Amino acid sequence: DLYREMGELPGQARVLNNLGVDYYYQGNWQRAKEYYHQSLEIREKIGDINGAATVSNNLGEVLSDQGYLDDAIESFSRCFKTWERIGYSLGVGLSQSNLGRAYMRKGEFEKAVNYLQTSRELFEHLRAKGFLAEVYQRLAEAYLGQTQLEKTLECAERALDLAIEQKMLLVEGAVRAAGGMGGIADE
């Protein structure tokens, strides 16, 4: 409200995006999308292309989680093109990872692997270990969809190692739950 009173559009856009993030994590996806759309409208109006790409990415995550995969792919593709054009490597890797996950959810595992491998290579180059853990987790799922079990296990183990190293409990838990990698040894 304060930013509205002041007519401060960049501040409004940031707050609206952050409200969208809050509602996303609360599980209120409809409200999250409302705030993301408002933020996106302002960012496009003021020419904040990087901010618009960030909001498009956030919106894509909600759409993907809701199962609107074609819309999610469109949203992730939009931010990928922007981040590639402005040279924001971390964003390029993130959008490729998200595109990979969306294609995986569609059952298009070959496309998913291609996007995820490209994302993995970029994150390794950038030494972005936190992002790498999630990409390896997604790669394990995509390889499982292709029934490439050796690659599935290799990626799951790498995701687990990175998650433990980075103290990423959600990724660690997801890998353990999905793969039955609870660390129980034969006696």
Side-chain angles (χ1 to χ4, degrees), residues 83-84 86-96 122-123 125-126:
W83 283 331
E84 186 176 51
I86 66 173
Y88 181 44
S89 299
L90 199 61
V92 168
L94 178 62
S95 57
Q96 289 178 326
L122 184 55
F123 287 146
H125 175 74
L126 296 172

Side-chain angles (χ1 to χ4, degrees), residues 51-109:
T54 298
V55 176
S56 288
N57 179 74
N58 293 347
L59 183 58
E61 288 186 21
V62 175
L63 294 167
S64 180
D65 288 348
Q66 288 183 308
Y68 301 121
L69 299 174
D70 291 330
D71 293 336
I73 288 168
E74 181 182 321
S75 198
F76 292 137
S77 295
R78 188 177 325 121
C79 62
F80 167 73
K81 289 174 189 171
T82 298
W83 283 331
E84 186 176 51
R85 189 174 63 245
I86 66 173
Y88 181 44
S89 299
L90 199 61
V92 168
L94 178 62
S95 57
Q96 289 178 326
S97 176
N98 286 334
L99 280 163
R101 181 179 59 169
Y103 278 111
M104 182 174 43
R105 287 176 169 176
K106 282 186 78 164
E108 296 183 33
F109 298 110

Side-chain angles (χ1 to χ4, degrees), residues 104 109 112-113 116 137-147 152:
M104 182 174 43
F109 298 110
V113 167
L116 292 166
Q137 175 194 355
R138 292 175 178 182
L139 269 168
E141 292 176 52
Y143 282 131
L144 184 60
Q146 292 180 320
T147 61
T152 298

Side-chain angles (χ1 to χ4, degrees), residues 33-72:
K33 288 191 317 188
E34 290 170 15
Y35 283 113
Y36 288 148
H37 282 295
Q38 290 176 40
S39 178
L40 188 58
E41 183 180 315
I42 292 171
R43 288 177 190 257
E44 288 173 346
K45 179 180 179 179
I46 64 175
D48 178 5
I49 58 172
N50 185 44
T54 298
V55 176
S56 288
N57 179 74
N58 293 347
L59 183 58
E61 288 186 21
V62 175
L63 294 167
S64 180
D65 288 348
Q66 288 183 308
Y68 301 121
L69 299 174
D70 291 330
D71 293 336

Side-chain angles (χ1 to χ4, degrees), residues 5 17-18 40 46 70 80 90-92 94 113 116 121 127 140 150-151 153 162 176 179-180 185:
E5 287 176 26
N17 180 63
N18 290 342
L40 188 58
I46 64 175
D70 291 330
F80 167 73
L90 199 61
V92 168
L94 178 62
V113 167
L116 292 166
E121 291 168 9
R127 292 179 172 85
E150 285 184 34
K151 288 184 177 182
L153 183 59
L162 286 165
R176 288 184 188 278

